[in-house]
Amino acid sequence: MRRKWVGGNWKMHGSRQMASRMTGAIVDAEIGDVEVALFPPFPYLREVCAASAGSKIAVGGQDASEHESGAYTGEVSAAMLKDVGCRLALAGHSERRQYHHESDDEVAAKVAQILANDLTAVLCVGETLREREDGRTAEVVSRQLRAVIDRCGITAFGRIVLAYEPVWAIGTGRTASPGQAQEVHALLRSHLGAGDARIGGSTRIVYGGSVKPGNAAELFAQPDIDGGLIGGACLESADFLAICAAAG
Ligand code: PEP
């Protein structure tokens, strides 16, 4: 039985005050048997790590450099994330792929750095609307997944949470139907299972794309959906906690 996982990606929102308030509200809440992770902007990581210290809430970076260290102005390394108390990092979020032109190979290199620093990687994959309309969803998500399997090996998925995030559903209010999401999750799981049956059965594959308190339970009830990566709805602690409750 896979334990459900819910992550809150704050994106470029918030303030120091919001970081302390939000984290406090989540730490104080009764969260059932679900793993919860928060991904605040880099400047607030220490705040959120401090406010969640000793709790079940894990903290992660929204990105990590593919390089270990060096002359890469503006980048943040996985080692730095670890140093300030993070336990995870996102890799390959569609906003990074789209606006920063991150390739599959770069994303795979980021995952390798994250894992090398003993952090859990949350690997995001997903197709654009155009790709879905062209019937290329399976090809695109399989290619994105394959790049990481080729670089890091299938057993690396013992420390990876895989997030299926259709780009057309992120921040648009348009959610994949439970059936549409389940179909892609099953495909991703079958790829993992073809590499290693145990990894196929144990990897958490979470859904992201306009998850709200009102649609979370139905999505999370699908056999291959193990929780969610939440954007907009994680900026209100009551909504985020309602989504965690739907997973618990
Ligand atoms: C995300 O940013 O990963 C996300 C899923 O955003 P939203 O929930 O707002 O669609």
Side-chain angles (χ1 to χ4, degrees):
M1 186 61 184
R2 295 178 298 271
R3 195 158 173 237
K4 290 272 198 282
W5 185 97
V6 176
N9 174 15
W10 297 9
K11 310 195 190 203
M12 201 173 73
H13 292 294
S15 60
R16 277 179 66 194
Q17 205 190 20
M18 177 264 198
S20 302
R21 183 173 37 80
M22 279 280 297
T23 311
I26 291 161
V27 164
D28 288 346
E30 197 51 59
I31 292 176
D33 189 25
V34 50
E35 272 179 54
V36 175
L38 302 177
F39 298 89
F42 291 134
Y44 307 137
L45 280 172
R46 286 204 59 178
E47 218 102 24
V48 175
C49 285
S52 61
S55 79
K56 292 192 327 191
I57 311 300
V59 182
Q62 294 177 13
D63 185 33
S65 174
E66 76 212 76
H67 305 288
E68 204 175 311
S69 65
Y72 300 104
T73 303
E75 297 279 294
V76 170
S77 73
M80 291 168 184
L81 295 177
K82 173 101 179 166
D83 197 25
V84 297
C86 288
R87 284 196 265 151
L88 316 92
L90 302 182
H93 191 281
S94 67
E95 287 151 17
R96 302 290 317 173
R97 292 184 191 260
Q98 193 177 346
Y99 306 138
H100 299 270
H101 312 290
E102 289 185 7
S103 66
D104 293 341
D105 286 348
E106 248 175 292
V107 172
K110 287 180 176 212
V111 171
Q113 268 301 319
I114 292 165
L115 298 179
N117 284 278
D118 277 334
L119 299 171
T120 295
V122 182
L123 168 65
C124 305
V125 299
E127 81 287 4
T128 62
L129 183 59
R130 181 66 190 268
E131 289 163 341
R132 172 162 282 263
E133 285 173 349
D134 288 350
R136 296 180 53 220
T137 300
E139 172 207 320
V140 170
V141 299
S142 303
R143 191 200 68 220
Q144 292 171 335
L145 176 61
R146 172 59 49 197
V148 176
I149 296 175
D150 288 349
R151 170 93 189 215
C152 303
I154 189 73
T155 53
F157 281 79
R159 287 185 299 135
I160 294 174
V161 172
L162 183 55
Y164 169 54
E165 297 209 304
V167 180
W168 49 271
I170 297 181
T172 58
R174 209 177 141 181
T175 317
S177 70
Q180 282 175 319
Q182 166 58 28
E183 192 182 347
V184 179
H185 282 234
L187 172 81
L188 293 168
R189 193 173 301 290
S190 78
H191 283 316
L192 294 172
D196 181 312
R198 190 185 56 82
I199 291 290
S202 60
T203 301
R204 265 89 59 88
I205 308 179
V206 303
Y207 169 80
S210 298
V211 177
K212 306 274 181 256
N215 60 21
E218 207 189 341
L219 284 159
F220 300 167
Q222 300 301 307
D224 290 301
I225 301 185
D226 304 311
L229 182 56
I230 318 303
C234 82
L235 298 172
E236 282 297 334
S237 53
D239 286 351
F240 186 64
L241 288 168
I243 292 170
C244 293

